[in-house]
Amino acid sequence: MENKIRIVIGSWGSYNECNERALGSEWLTLNDYSSWEEIEEELIKEGFELNGIDEELFIQDIEGIYSDSASWEYVSPEILFDALQDSRVLESKYQYEKMLAYIQAFFLH
């Protein structure tokens, strides 16, 4: 089992405006980033206006975590990334498998 977690980040402003960013970012593999600032840089490269219409971000899609375990659109992508970094889930296969076991035990039963 590979411990890759990928997300698509959307913005409520672009979603509500139905503009070119309404479908969100490209798939971002969280394991590829060492800080939230690197993710922000990627979003800016993709055309997000983080100090404007795109300042309120949400998780539009997710892979690598059981997707029915949360209402992901209400989870801040920055808070998720920071929690995964702090818990070492992105760097440790053991921590990743432990997280999946926890989700399975508490959300799938």
Side-chain angles (χ1 to χ4, degrees):
M1 180 182 316
E2 192 173 10
N3 63 321
K4 298 278 185 201
I5 298 173
R6 297 174 3 120
I7 63 174
V8 174
I9 296 176
S11 103
W12 288 112
S14 287
Y15 180 81
N16 289 330
E17 291 290 321
C18 296
N19 67 25
E20 64 276 1
R21 293 175 308 282
L23 297 178
S25 69
E26 299 292 323
W27 280 99
L28 304 173
T29 302
L30 296 182
N31 307 64
D32 293 343
Y33 301 94
S34 59
S35 70
W36 177 252
E37 290 75 23
E38 290 179 10
I39 294 173
E40 286 180 326
E41 289 174 20
E42 177 60 32
L43 294 174
I44 290 168
K45 286 179 191 173
E46 292 185 22
F48 280 73
E49 299 172 28
L50 299 179
N51 292 322
I53 191 171
D54 299 317
E55 65 186 336
E56 191 176 359
L57 301 173
F58 68 98
I59 298 171
Q60 223 165 359
D61 205 352
I62 191 163
E63 289 180 346
I65 299 177
Y66 178 66
S67 62
D68 290 340
S69 62
S71 296
W72 291 107
E73 65 269 13
Y74 298 109
V75 176
S76 161
E78 181 177 7
I79 290 172
L80 174 66
F81 176 78
D82 288 344
L84 293 171
Q85 282 283 92
D86 290 347
S87 64
R88 297 184 45 241
V89 165
L90 298 175
E91 66 185 60
S92 166
K93 185 174 180 179
Y94 172 75
Q95 290 298 101
Y96 176 75
E97 289 174 353
K98 193 161 80 170
M99 177 197 67
L100 293 181
Y102 175 82
I103 290 171
Q104 183 176 11
F106 288 97
F107 294 106
L108 301 179
H109 290 92

